């Protein structure tokens, strides 16, 4: 059910509850006497300075992308509430068990896939950190209540890195390591991810297989716009590591609308289709039913992989898993 507007009186009550909660010290929190060295910590996120008073103890998740990092850092148990979609396919059994223990506030989205949640519902959880920004719960609104927010750089409103790489995965992981006072574990996990990427690159290089072309798309199920991912998306370094050239790498945008005619003109050897939830077959049908789609080499020769959005975007540990999935599907 969509979240209904909250009255002014209820909003005031929630804000009062928040302020009361912020004033009560908790173990390891901002009011604790044993705050680790290095705190308060000020970091830059989406171009804004964000101050973390102490390692967070009451985190609210509004997006799924940080989950693997939090699990790897041993910080997922600090998440007190989550909202949005968390497909089980993203996670191993241990991560999924931890995530299932976190109360879900809502998974309601609009027709464009945007999370529907009010700021008051988030404030009621008395968070000391919010991960992920949505239209109704933004940095400015939370800052007014004294709550810091961190977003994945690729999803920043003003845009992310113009030339993404797998180093962006490690940089964000290092940020979480600092915020949660788990820097050593963050470095270890980054090393594990680097080795996984290197293993794929070695496999591709040793195969001797010629480079091929690919496109990463986000189709609209049921008819509508098809989006493609360009140079400023994680799709480009992911495809490169898998032995493919992104046919839209000459487009400087992260994501943009693409016509069937343009797709046919570029005629990629393979297609990687992204989606947030629902039936993968319907996602594939949204592309294969486009006018002229049967003339596409990838469609004609059945070289199409449909996978969940976070397996490519934004750059996280799941992007490494997505890379392995692409190579597993298309070789070498």
């Amino acid at each position: 059910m969509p979240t209904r507007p909250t009255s002014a009186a209820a909003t005031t009550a929630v804000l009062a509850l928040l302020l009361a909660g912020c004033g009560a010290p908790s173990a390891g929190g901002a009011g604790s006497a044993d705050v680790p060295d290095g705190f308060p910590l000020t970091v830059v996120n989406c171009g804004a300075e964000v101050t973390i008073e102490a390692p967070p103890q009451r985190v609210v998740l509004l997006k799924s992308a940080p989950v693997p990092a939090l699990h790897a850092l041993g910080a997922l148990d600090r998440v007190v509430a989550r909202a949005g979609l968390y497909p089980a396919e993203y996670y191993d059994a241990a991560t999924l068990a931890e995530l299932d223990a976190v109360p879900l506030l809502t998974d309601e989205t609009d027709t464009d896939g945007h999370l529907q949640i009010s700021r008051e519902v988030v404030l009621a959880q008395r968070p000391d950190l919010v991960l992920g920004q949505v239209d109704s719960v933004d940095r400015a609104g939370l800052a007014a209540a004294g709550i810091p927010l961190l977003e994945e750089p690729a999803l920043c409103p003003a845009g992310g890195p113009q030339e993404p790489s797998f180093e962006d995965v490690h940089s964000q992981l290092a940020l979480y390591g600092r915020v949660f006072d788990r820097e050593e574990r963050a470095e270890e996990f980054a090393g594990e991810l680097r080795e996984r990427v290197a293993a794929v690159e070695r496999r591709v290089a040793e195969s001797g297989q010629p480079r091929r072309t690919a496109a990463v798309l986000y189709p609209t199920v049921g008819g509508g716009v098809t989006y493609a991912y360009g140079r400023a998306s994680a799709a480009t370094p992911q495809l490169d590591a898998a032995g493919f050239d992104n046919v839209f790498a000459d487009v400087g945008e992260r994501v943009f609308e693409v016509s069937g005619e343009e797709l046919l003109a570029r005629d990629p050897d393979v297609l990687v289709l992204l989606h947030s939830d629902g039936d993968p077959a319907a996602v594939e049908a949204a592309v294969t039913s486009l006018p002229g789609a049967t003339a596409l080499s990838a469609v004609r020769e059945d070289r199409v992989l449909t996978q969940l959005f976070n397996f490519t975007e934004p750059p996280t540990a799941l992007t490494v898993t997505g890379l392995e999935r692409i190579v597993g599907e298309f070789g070498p």
Side-chain angles (χ1 to χ4, degrees):
M1 170 183 306
T3 304
R4 291 179 292 182
T6 306
S7 68
T11 302
T12 301
V14 168
L15 289 173
L17 176 62
L18 169 71
L19 293 174
C22 289
S26 60
S32 175
D34 58 351
V35 173
D37 291 340
F39 289 86
L41 171 68
T42 299
V43 300
V44 176
N45 180 245
C46 296
E49 288 192 349
V50 181
T51 298
I52 312 293
E53 297 295 335
Q57 303 298 316
R58 295 190 58 82
V59 179
V60 171
L61 271 177
L62 298 184
K63 291 179 181 174
S64 57
V67 170
L70 297 184
H71 172 73
L73 298 179
L76 196 52
D77 60 351
R78 303 190 199 179
V79 179
V80 296
R82 58 190 171 104
L85 301 172
Y86 298 81
E89 190 178 347
Y90 283 144
Y91 314 116
D92 59 24
T95 305
L96 194 58
E98 283 190 278
L99 194 60
D100 285 345
V102 178
L104 179 67
L105 299 175
T106 180
D107 59 2
E108 290 288 335
T109 60
D110 63 17
T111 55
D112 293 324
H114 297 146
L115 179 65
Q116 300 297 286
I117 189 171
S118 72
R119 184 169 67 104
E120 290 70 36
V121 168
V122 174
L123 293 179
Q125 305 304 312
R126 297 184 294 112
D128 51 15
L129 177 66
V130 172
L131 295 180
Q133 176 169 297
V134 296
D135 292 343
S136 55
V137 186
D138 60 12
R139 190 184 306 276
L142 291 175
I147 300 168
L149 178 145
L150 293 176
E151 177 62 284
E152 299 293 321
L155 304 181
C156 291
Q162 292 305 298
E163 300 284 346
S165 72
F166 281 100
E167 285 305 310
D168 294 316
V169 176
H170 312 140
S171 296
Q172 187 68 357
L173 185 57
L175 172 65
Y176 287 140
R178 294 171 63 198
V179 167
F180 288 96
D181 194 31
R182 293 286 189 273
E183 292 182 78
E184 184 175 340
R185 176 54 190 149
E187 187 174 343
E188 291 174 356
F189 189 45
E192 295 167 13
L193 295 175
R194 284 190 178 95
E195 177 50 38
R196 287 169 61 189
V197 173
V200 170
E201 292 175 331
R202 286 194 299 270
R203 175 180 171 184
V204 170
E206 292 168 0
S207 73
Q209 187 176 64
R211 290 185 71 82
R212 292 169 289 172
T213 60
V216 176
L217 308 176
Y218 194 109
T220 300
V221 175
V225 174
T226 298
Y227 296 94
Y229 289 83
R231 185 171 63 250
S233 73
T236 298
Q238 184 183 58
L239 290 175
D240 182 62
F244 295 93
D245 295 320
N246 183 357
V247 296
F248 292 109
D250 61 326
V251 181
E253 298 175 73
R254 171 178 168 264
V255 61
F256 52 93
E257 295 183 17
V258 66
S259 67
E261 292 79 6
E262 179 66 16
L263 185 60
L264 186 59
R266 304 207 179 206
D267 195 23
D269 294 320
V270 306
L271 290 175
V272 178
L273 310 181
L274 305 181
H275 68 115
S276 297
D277 64 345
D279 181 8
V283 177
E284 183 171 341
V287 170
T288 58
S289 63
L290 290 172
T294 53
L296 287 168
S297 299
V299 172
R300 189 173 60 251
E301 300 180 25
D302 194 25
R303 294 194 297 261
V304 181
L305 171 65
T306 302
Q307 64 181 11
L308 289 163
F309 178 69
N310 284 166
F311 283 129
T312 292
E313 283 269 289
T316 69
L318 288 174
T319 309
V320 178
T321 304
L323 166 64
E324 294 165 337
R325 290 165 62 97
I326 290 171
V327 172
E329 179 72 17
F330 300 118

